Amino acid sequence: MNFERFYENLNKFGKIGDQKEKGISRLAFSKEYYESIEMLDEYSRSKGFETKQDKVGNLFITYNPMNADKFLLIGSHMDTVKSGGLYDGAMGVIAALEVIESLKDNNITGDSGVIAVAFNAEEGSEMGGTFGSRTICNRNNLEDPELKNKISNYNLEVKDLEDCIINFNKIVGFLELHIEQGGVLENNKMDIGVVDGIVGITRYNITIKGEANHAGTTPMNLRNDPIRSLPEVINKLFGIASKYTHPFVMTIGDIRVKPGMYNIIPSEVEILIEVRDMLQDNIDEFFDKIKKFLENEIKDFDLVCNVEKPSVLLDKEYMEIVSKSCESLGYNYQVMSSGAGHDAKEISHLVPSSLIFVPSINGISHSPKEYTTPEHLKKGINVLYQSAISIIGGK
Amino acid sequence: MNFERFYENLNKFGKIGDQKEKGISRLAFSKEYYESIEMLDEYSRSKGFETKQDKVGNLFITYNPMNADKFLLIGSHMDTVKSGGLYDGAMGVIAALEVIESLKDNNITGDSGVIAVAFNAEEGSEMGGTFGSRTICNRNNLEDPELKNKISNYNLEVKDLEDCIINFNKIVGFLELHIEQGGVLENNKMDIGVVDGIVGITRYNITIKGEANHAGTTPMNLRNDPIRSLPEVINKLFGIASKYTHPFVMTIGDIRVKPGMYNIIPSEVEILIEVRDMLQDNIDEFFDKIKKFLENEIKDFDLVCNVEKPSVLLDKEYMEIVSKSCESLGYNYQVMSSGAGHDAKEISHLVPSSLIFVPSINGISHSPKEYTTPEHLKKGINVLYQSAISIIGGK
C-alpha cells in the first residue's frame, strides 16, 4: 500500500470544487462532480485499468488480471454536500483506487476481480440520498411518476436507470471505507469502527396549536399562546429520549413559529423531530410515549409521521473478516452501528457488505473542518486492503 | 347622528379591497387604497364639503361654515394590513365623516371648523407605521438617506413630504375613534375605552449558541445542542413577565433555529421578544433580569436590543371631555392604556389628542374575523360627536 500515492490522489481528485474557506462543493450531477469523475477515469486508464461510467454518473474501475467472472466491489461516493470537506465520500473512493493499484503493484490475484467504484448522488438530490448505488441495485421505484419528473431534470429517462442496473450474481460483496462523522471512535481512542448495522430513521412533526392575536392589545391572561407549552414538550422529548442508550439519538432539528412576527402572538408552533436507532421497537415506543403525553397535557396538537426508514443489519461474516484484518494489523477497533445511511446500506440488501469507519476529529463532518489524521487514514486503507485480499482469496 | 348612513358608508368605502374569506387588503399606497380615497373624496364633495388630498395620500374633508381659522381634526387611517378586517382604521374615518355630516345636518357651529381626516400608511410600509400622520406632524427624519430611498419607491421626494407638513398652530386638537383590538372592554362589559396613554415597545433578540453536528452520528452525550437550554429560557421569560401587571405584555413572536433541518443538530436558536408597558422602567428592569439570568445560566449567548419606542401619555383635559360625553350619554366606560400605536400617538406630540376605543369581539383584529357590534359602533360615534361638539363649543 502506497500511502503517499493515496494522499496525493485524495488531494488531487478530492479537492475539485474547493472554494477554500467555504469548503468543497462537488454536488451530485454538477460540473465539478463530472470533472472529478473524468479525471479519475483518465488517471485509472493511464494506470492500465478498464473503466466504465454509467448513465447516472457512477464510475467503475476494474482490476481483473485473471479474467474472473465474479467481482468484489469496493468504494464510496464522489459527490459532496454544499460546503463539505475532503473526506466524506472521496476518501473511500480514493482508498478503493489505492487498493486495486496496490493489488496490481504486488501482483495479487484471487478468485474474483476487484472493482473500485465512485458513486454519484449519495448526499442527496431531488431523488433522495444514495441515488447512484440505489440505481445499480435496482432499488428505485421505476413506476413512480414523480421519479420520472425528477430525473428528467438531469436529462435522464427511466430507460437510462434500467441500463445502470448491475447483475449482482456477478458481485461477491461490497466493502466501503468511510469517516465515522461522529465522535465515538475518537472518544474511545479507537482506530477502526467495524459497523454491525445502520440505524433506522423516523421523523415526526408535532404542531402545538393556539390562537394568533395582537401582541400589544391582548392581555397576558386572555392569550392562547402555543409557546407557553413549548418548554414542557421539549423537556418531555429529551426526558423520554434519555431513557434509551446509544445508538438511540433524538434531535429537534427545527422549530417553526407561525406567523413569526414580533407583534403577533403565534397561532402555532411546529417541532421537527428525528429519532434514529437500530431497534424500530424503541423508536415506535418513544413516539407512543410522546403521543400519550400530548394527549394528556396539550389540548390542541397534531402529530404527523413524515419519514420511516428501517434499520439494516450488516453481514456477520464480513464483519468477522474486517475484525480479523484489524487484529492481524494490530489496530484497536470496536463494533458499532452507523447513525448515517451510506451506499453500503443499499448494496447490503443484495450481497454481503461491510462498512469500515475511521475516526472524525471532533466528530465534525459536512463542513470544511472535517478532518481525519493521516495515521488513521493509513490504518483504514490497510484494513480495507487486507479485507479485500481475504475476500478474494488473494495470493 | 345618522347611524344607517354611517353603516352604509362603512360598508361602501371600507370594503374596497375585499377578498371575501381572505379578508380586506387595502395596503398603504395600493390601487385599492387610492380607489377608496377617491370615492370618499367624491362623496364628500357631493355633500358640499371642501376636500384636499396631500402627496402622501392623506385625505382632508373640511366642515367650516363660520370660516374659522382653527380646526379640530378627527379621523383615523384608511389603509389595512394584508387580509385585515372592516373596522381597523376605516371605522374611525367613516365615523369622523359622519360627525361632520351630522354637524352640518344639525347646523351646529362653534369656535373652530372640523376636519375629518383619512390617513395613509398607518399599518406600516417600508417607512414604518403611522407614516401618513407622522408626515403631517413633521416627525420624519428628513435627513435620513434611507428614508429618501424608501419613499422613492412611491415616487416621492423629500420635498413632497415637506409639502405635507401641517401648521399645527391652526389645529386645536385631535380625536380618534378606533377598535380596541384587545379583549379588555368586552371582558369588562364596557362600551367605551378612554385611553390615557400608549405603551412603549421594546424588542430584543436572544441567541443561544451551540454547535451544529450530524444528527445521526453524534451521540446524545457529545452534543452541544442549544435547544436543550430553550425551555429554561422560555420559562424564565414568562416567569419574570408574570411579576408585572397589565398593561405589561411580553410576547415571544418567533423562534429561529439554524440551520433548521431534521438531520442537523442546530448551531443556534434565536428568540424574538417584544415587551410593552406604560413604564419604561418596568421594561428595562425586565430585560436586566433576563440578562443576569442568561449570564448565570447560559454559557454562550447574544442579547441584542432592536427597537425601543417610548410610551406616550395622552392629554388629561381631552380625556375628561370624552369621559363626560360618555357619562352624559349614559354609557359604561373605563380608562385604559393602548397596547398598540395609533395615529393619535404621532399627533399627541403637537396638540391635545384623545383616543377612544370601542370593543373588539374576542379581541380579534388584523383578521377577517374582526368585529364590533352595531350597538357599540353607535355608542362610539355618539361619544366622538359629543366630544367634538364640546371641544369646538358647538351650538
Side-chain angles (χ1 to χ4, degrees), chain B residues 62-290:
Chain B
T62 302
Y63 171 69
N64 191 16
M66 305 297 282
N67 281 318
D69 58 356
K70 297 229 172 189
F71 298 88
L72 171 66
L73 206 58
I74 317 180
S76 191
H77 59 97
M78 204 62 196
D79 64 310
T80 69
V81 293
K82 196 178 164 201
S83 299
L86 177 62
Y87 304 86
D88 181 358
M91 188 277 290
V93 173
I94 308 303
L97 174 65
E98 179 53 38
V99 165
I100 60 171
E101 286 204 69
S102 293
L103 290 172
K104 194 176 182 212
D105 292 347
N106 300 313
N107 284 313
I108 295 175
T109 59
D111 309 329
S112 319
V114 179
I115 300 174
V117 59
F119 289 118
N120 190 6
E122 193 267 354
E123 293 291 2
S125 55
E126 288 97 315
M127 290 79 78
T130 61
F131 176 68
S133 51
R134 189 159 16 106
T135 299
I136 69 160
C137 292
N138 193 19
R139 287 177 49 79
N140 291 304
N141 177 2
L142 299 177
E143 312 290 319
D144 179 9
E146 272 190 49
L147 180 69
K148 249 183 220 178
N149 262 329
K150 288 170 181 172
I151 61 175
S152 71
N153 295 330
Y154 301 100
N155 269 325
L156 291 169
E157 296 174 18
V158 169
K159 176 77 179 63
D160 297 320
L161 302 195
E162 285 169 347
D163 287 348
C164 294
I165 297 166
I166 274 186
N167 177 3
F168 269 86
N169 290 330
K170 297 200 161 197
I171 305 295
V172 296
F174 178 62
L175 295 178
E176 178 170 15
L177 181 67
H178 204 280
I179 56 167
E180 179 199 342
Q181 306 185 261
V184 174
L185 292 175
E186 186 188 29
N187 220 42
N188 295 346
K189 301 198 176 3
M190 289 290 168
D191 300 320
I192 299 288
V194 179
V195 178
D196 61 354
I198 296 164
V199 298
I201 301 177
T202 298
R203 293 174 178 174
Y204 271 85
N205 289 16
I206 296 173
T207 306
I208 314 170
K209 296 177 178 182
E211 195 176 335
N213 224 326
H214 193 297
T217 56
T218 315
M220 298 300 280
N221 63 331
L222 297 179
R223 298 177 172 205
N224 177 6
D225 180 352
I227 303 261
R228 290 304 274 265
S229 308
L230 185 61
E232 197 187 350
V233 175
I234 294 174
N235 283 332
K236 200 74 188 176
L237 286 162
F238 283 113
I240 297 177
S242 71
K243 310 282 188 238
Y244 300 92
T245 53
H246 193 75
F248 185 101
V249 285
M250 189 282 298
T251 306
I252 297 175
D254 201 4
I255 296 171
R256 295 172 182 170
V257 176
K258 284 181 193 164
M261 293 168 73
Y262 278 108
N263 58 349
I264 302 181
I265 301 158
S267 57
E268 59 179 60
V269 180
E270 195 179 14
I271 308 169
L272 277 64
I273 303 153
E274 182 185 277
V275 174
R276 302 191 186 203
D277 197 21
M278 283 305 297
L279 300 174
Q280 188 63 37
D281 283 354
N282 281 349
I283 299 178
D284 293 344
E285 188 188 74
F286 174 85
F287 283 109
D288 279 350
K289 285 181 182 171
I290 290 299

Side-chain angles (χ1 to χ4, degrees), chain A residues 147-180:
Chain A
L147 179 69
K148 249 184 218 176
N149 262 330
K150 289 171 180 170
I151 61 175
S152 70
N153 294 330
Y154 301 101
N155 268 324
L156 290 170
E157 297 175 17
V158 169
K159 176 75 181 61
D160 297 321
L161 302 195
E162 285 170 344
D163 286 350
C164 293
I165 298 166
I166 274 185
N167 176 4
F168 269 85
N169 288 329
K170 296 198 162 198
I171 305 295
V172 296
F174 177 62
L175 295 178
E176 178 170 15
L177 181 67
H178 204 280
I179 56 168
E180 180 199 340

Side-chain angles (χ1 to χ4, degrees), chain A residues 181-182 184 205 213 215-217 219-220 223 228 231 235 238 249-251 253-255 257 260-262 276 306 339 363, chain B residues 181-182 184 205 213 215-217 219-220 223 228 230-231 235 238 249-251 253-255 257 260-262 276 306 339 363:
Chain A
Q181 305 183 263
V184 174
N205 288 17
N213 224 325
T217 56
M220 297 300 279
R223 297 175 174 208
R228 289 305 274 266
N235 283 333
F238 283 115
V249 286
M250 189 282 298
T251 306
D254 201 3
I255 295 172
V257 177
M261 293 168 74
Y262 279 108
R276 301 190 187 205
N306 284 316
Chain B
Q181 306 185 261
V184 174
N205 289 16
N213 224 326
T217 56
M220 298 300 280
R223 298 177 172 205
R228 290 304 274 265
L230 185 61
N235 283 332
F238 283 113
V249 285
M250 189 282 298
T251 306
D254 201 4
I255 296 171
V257 176
M261 293 168 73
Y262 278 108
R276 302 191 186 203
N306 283 318

Side-chain angles (χ1 to χ4, degrees), chain A residues 2 12 25 64 79 95 121 153 175-176 183 240 285 345:
Chain A
N2 183 339
K12 191 162 58 186
S25 291
N64 190 15
D79 65 308
N153 294 330
L175 295 178
E176 178 170 15
I240 297 178
E285 188 188 75
K345 190 174 177 179

